[in-house]
Amino acid sequence: MKRLPIGVMVPTLVIGIMALFMVLPEFFISLKKPVDFNMLTDAEIKSGLHVEGDVYLILDTFATEETYTKNSDGSRTPSKVSGYYYIIPVGEESYIGIEGSVDNRSAFKAIDDSTWAWLTDAAADLDPNAYYHYEGYIEEMDEELYQYFVEWFQDMEWFETTDAAQITPYALPLMIKPMSPGLMPLLIIGFAMIALNVLFVVLHMNYKKKAKAAKAAAVSSDEPWAPPASAGTTYSAPDTGYTPPPSTPASGDPWDAPDKQGVRCRRRKCEQNMKG
């Protein structure tokens, strides 16, 4: 790959990071072993728990979520309720929210009716058929929802007070939510987008590496050949078995002296040259 496709890399990288940012925290929670939220103590109730259990007590709906479609001309379609938020007791004396949907609305409404019949009639028992098995995780409730949550306890004077400071120690800002149905698809998309960008970078680096090697090979072929230098290498003549003559003449002839060795001439002519 000669050039990096920045026009493709930037949007795919943004999509991948956003997808992972949205689902990774929930994915890590889903890997934990779920605990029964009905068995939690007040001290154990906290955000980040993977929980499951049977919902069999619901005080009321404290908020709803509505969705609508906004048209290009500024108008919008009628709002539809897409989510319900209920109050359930947990621990010894605490209350948190739980998120419901249109699909489980009838089941949660039956639990709500059974709970109030039991609370208002001393002779009534909880409906054994009014329960709903729920699996999800606990997270922090957003500020707006928590305001509605506290207001319900104030309006009902559940703790015989409307003072928020006396309510908040028991009305915890926590919500049980279901696991996202698109968790795994979003996770796959996120990792796929990141992997695609890594592949682009690897292909580009391999291209540059091969181009650099080809350029070096082309430059090398244009240069004259020279033997490689061998640092620290010395050379010597091969041993022929020849032994040089001794440094002192054996015959006493001055022409055999060391300073005359190597002079090649006829003896008589050399003597005449010396005398002359």
Side-chain angles (χ1 to χ4, degrees):
M1 182 175 291
K2 187 174 182 179
R3 295 181 179 178
L4 288 173
I6 302 299
V8 177
M9 292 181 64
V10 172
T12 55
L13 185 61
V14 171
I15 293 172
I17 292 175
M18 289 181 62
L20 293 180
F21 180 79
M22 291 171 57
V23 301
L24 273 182
E26 186 177 337
F27 173 70
F28 289 135
I29 292 174
S30 70
L31 298 178
K32 300 177 182 178
K33 183 179 180 180
V35 296
D36 190 341
F37 54 79
N38 292 308
M39 304 301 293
L40 294 174
T41 64
D42 289 335
E44 294 172 335
I45 304 169
K46 60 182 180 180
S47 177
L49 287 180
H50 182 188
V51 296
E52 70 173 338
D54 293 332
V55 180
Y56 57 89
L57 289 173
I58 289 179
L59 297 187
D60 202 356
T61 304
F62 72 92
T64 59
E65 182 178 36
E66 297 181 351
T67 58
Y68 60 86
T69 301
K70 191 172 183 179
N71 301 318
S72 58
D73 59 0
S75 63
R76 67 180 195 179
T77 60
S79 300
K80 293 182 179 180
V81 176
S82 57
Y84 299 85
Y85 300 96
Y86 304 90
I87 301 170
I88 63 171
V90 290
E92 293 86 2
E93 50 185 1
S94 297
Y95 298 86
I96 62 174
I98 188 168
E99 181 179 325
S101 64
V102 175
D103 294 336
N104 55 30
R105 172 62 176 168
S106 59
F108 276 38
K109 184 66 172 60
I111 299 170
D112 189 358
D113 293 340
S114 172
T115 301
W116 277 99
W118 175 66
L119 289 173
T120 57
D121 186 353
D125 293 325
L126 291 171
D127 184 351
N129 297 317
Y131 69 92
Y132 185 84
H133 189 78
Y134 197 106
E135 181 177 1
Y137 64 100
I138 299 178
E139 73 164 12
E140 294 284 340
M141 196 183 298
D142 68 51
E143 186 176 345
E144 183 180 9
L145 276 178
Y146 188 57
Q147 180 182 347
Y148 296 148
F149 189 63
V150 173
E151 286 177 356
W152 185 92
F153 289 98
Q154 291 174 318
D155 294 340
M156 296 295 293
E157 296 187 11
W158 189 261
F159 299 105
E160 299 182 353
T161 181
T162 59
D163 185 1
Q166 298 183 43
I167 295 173
T168 52
Y170 306 100
L172 306 181
L174 298 172
M175 172 84 68
I176 299 179
K177 300 187 65 174
M179 293 293 180
S180 301
L183 178 63
M184 292 308 297
L186 281 175
L187 192 67
I188 293 172
I189 290 173
F191 279 121
M193 295 296 100
I194 299 296
L196 181 63
N197 280 269
V198 172
L199 178 62
F200 286 148
V201 173
V202 171
L203 291 176
H204 178 66
M205 292 181 67
N206 284 341
Y207 172 82
K208 291 182 66 177
K209 184 177 179 181
K210 291 179 180 179
K212 185 177 180 180
K215 183 177 180 181
V219 171
S220 177
S221 63
D222 294 337
E223 295 178 353
W225 180 88
S230 300
T233 302
T234 58
Y235 299 93
S236 61
D239 185 7
T240 61
Y242 169 75
T243 304
S247 59
T248 58
S251 62
D253 189 335
W255 294 105
D256 293 331
D259 59 345
K260 300 300 182 180
Q261 291 181 10
V263 178
R264 294 184 179 180
C265 62
R266 295 179 63 180
R267 180 69 173 265
R268 184 176 298 276
K269 186 176 181 179
C270 288
E271 288 176 354
Q272 292 175 353
N273 291 338
M274 292 297 292
K275 291 179 180 180

